[in-house]
Amino acid sequence: GAGYIGIAVAFLQQYPRTRLSILLHDFFNDADKNYPIIGTQENEYRQRKDIADNCTSYSVFGYGSEFGKDQSGTGGPIYARENYNTDSGNYIFYREAKVTKLDGGIFWLSSTPSKISKFSSSKHYRTCVWIKFKSNLTNKEFYVFNTHLDNSSDAVRGQQLDVLWAQMNVINADALPMVLMGDLNMTTTGSSLEIFKNSGKMIFCRNKLNVCFDDEHKSYNAWGGNGSNIDHIAFSNLYGVKQFQTDISKHAGVTYMSDHYPIIATLAFNPVKVD
């Protein structure tokens, strides 16, 4: 016979300062879904802290993009130091009951990825945070990379993709299974991401399931406006994707907890022989 193990991956975008954080808590603490790994982008320090404090089954790893660390802000007329920070970053939340963190780090999507930097044509500092995990069920090891590409131009996103892929392979020198997730700020048609997808470097979950990349459930919802599928989960050296969906369900009774819906994938390791 053959045995399989699934990896569930989800992510969600920054939620506004005025939004009730209970929406996020409802998503993270959904016992029925019980996501082992959740990646977030554009999380400010106060938001990362809020999730960690209220969703205690998760541990969290990541850094701010501009300062390279978790650094609370200096406050202001409305927000206190403890709960305000404009240095947003990518974070990976994970359930230690499901997976074990073996290693982790961050790199910048620039010509000098090991230090805080950006391409001159990039509007923002952009990073990729990564963790090397071990499945507690099978002891199989794998990498998760969580990123957020720039929103200035397709040209700079193409440069960032080149850096991203090169660094992923330096880090994953043993060619272990890899998962890439994040807000890539482009669809896979008419963009540098289309070239990346067609290269066969990684398999995109929507594509694998033969679901249209621009279906009726667009991951970027623009608070009910005209959205698009600019958020993605891709993988390599895994057996395949068992499930992929855009989570358009309500959380704490509210339709939008962010201007992006979470996207969710369940991935399977290669079949193993069971005696």
Side-chain angles (χ1 to χ4, degrees):
Y4 301 87
I5 177 66
I7 307 169
V9 182
F11 79 88
L12 46 100
Q13 194 77 2
Q14 175 184 0
Y15 56 103
R17 300 186 184 97
T18 56
R19 200 70 170 171
L20 290 175
S21 57
I22 192 173
L23 310 180
L24 274 295
H25 305 163
D26 181 77
F27 175 79
F28 273 75
N29 292 324
D30 191 325
D32 293 331
K33 296 185 173 66
N34 193 28
Y35 304 118
I37 300 167
I38 298 177
T40 67
Q41 300 82 42
E42 281 192 47
N43 261 185
E44 296 174 359
Y45 172 79
R46 61 159 190 106
Q47 296 167 326
R48 183 206 64 78
K49 185 176 184 299
D50 173 68
I51 295 171
D53 288 347
N54 291 279
C55 307
T56 54
S57 59
Y58 286 93
S59 297
V60 60
F61 178 76
Y63 305 95
S65 299
E66 189 172 349
F67 300 114
K69 60 183 178 180
D70 282 335
Q71 177 174 300
S72 63
T74 56
I78 301 176
Y79 305 104
R81 178 181 175 83
E82 181 180 348
N83 63 10
Y84 177 69
N85 178 19
T86 57
D87 180 28
S88 62
N90 305 318
Y91 294 97
I92 298 175
F93 294 82
Y94 59 96
R95 291 183 182 267
E96 291 186 341
K98 300 284 187 179
V99 291
T100 298
K101 176 178 173 286
L102 302 177
D103 197 5
I106 185 175
F107 58 88
W108 279 259
L109 302 180
S110 72
S111 56
T112 53
S114 63
K115 64 181 183 180
I116 301 170
S117 56
K118 64 186 183 72
F119 287 115
S120 59
S121 54
S122 179
K123 187 176 181 180
H124 302 286
Y125 289 91
R126 298 297 195 190
T127 64
C128 178
V129 62
W130 61 272
I131 293 181
K132 182 180 183 181
F133 284 114
K134 180 180 71 173
S135 165
N136 294 346
L137 181 62
T138 66
N139 287 326
K140 287 183 177 290
E141 297 178 358
F142 61 99
Y143 285 87
V144 172
F145 295 84
N146 179 31
T147 194
H148 186 185
L149 301 190
D150 205 74
N151 60 344
S152 57
S153 71
D154 182 73
V156 73
R157 287 190 291 271
Q159 290 179 291
Q160 291 174 335
L161 276 174
D162 290 341
V163 173
L164 179 68
W165 182 245
Q167 290 298 305
M168 289 170 68
N169 285 280
V170 168
I171 293 165
N172 183 20
D174 295 330
L176 292 171
M178 292 193 296
V179 178
L180 170 65
M181 59 180 176
D183 177 358
L184 304 187
N185 263 315
M186 52 187 163
T187 65
T188 57
T189 55
S191 70
S192 56
L193 189 60
E194 181 177 19
I195 299 171
F196 181 84
K197 180 180 76 72
N198 291 342
S199 70
K201 295 182 175 75
M202 304 193 82
I203 297 171
F204 282 71
C205 290
R206 286 189 185 98
N207 186 60
K208 185 67 175 179
L209 288 179
N210 296 316
V211 177
C212 177
F213 278 92
D214 289 306
D215 61 17
E216 67 274 20
H217 302 316
K218 295 178 173 61
S219 60
Y220 173 60
N221 61 58
W223 300 110
N226 293 323
S228 59
N229 275 317
I230 59 176
D231 308 300
H232 304 278
I233 299 172
F235 63 91
S236 64
N237 297 330
L238 286 160
Y239 178 73
V241 55
K242 308 294 288 185
Q243 177 194 30
F244 178 83
Q245 68 181 89
T246 303
D247 180 6
I248 61 170
S249 60
K250 291 184 178 181
H251 294 280
V254 178
T255 301
Y256 303 114
M257 60 179 169
S258 165
D259 58 347
H260 291 237
Y261 289 122
I263 59 173
I264 301 156
T266 304
L267 307 175
F269 288 111
N270 291 327
V272 294
K273 185 177 181 180
V274 178
D275 295 329

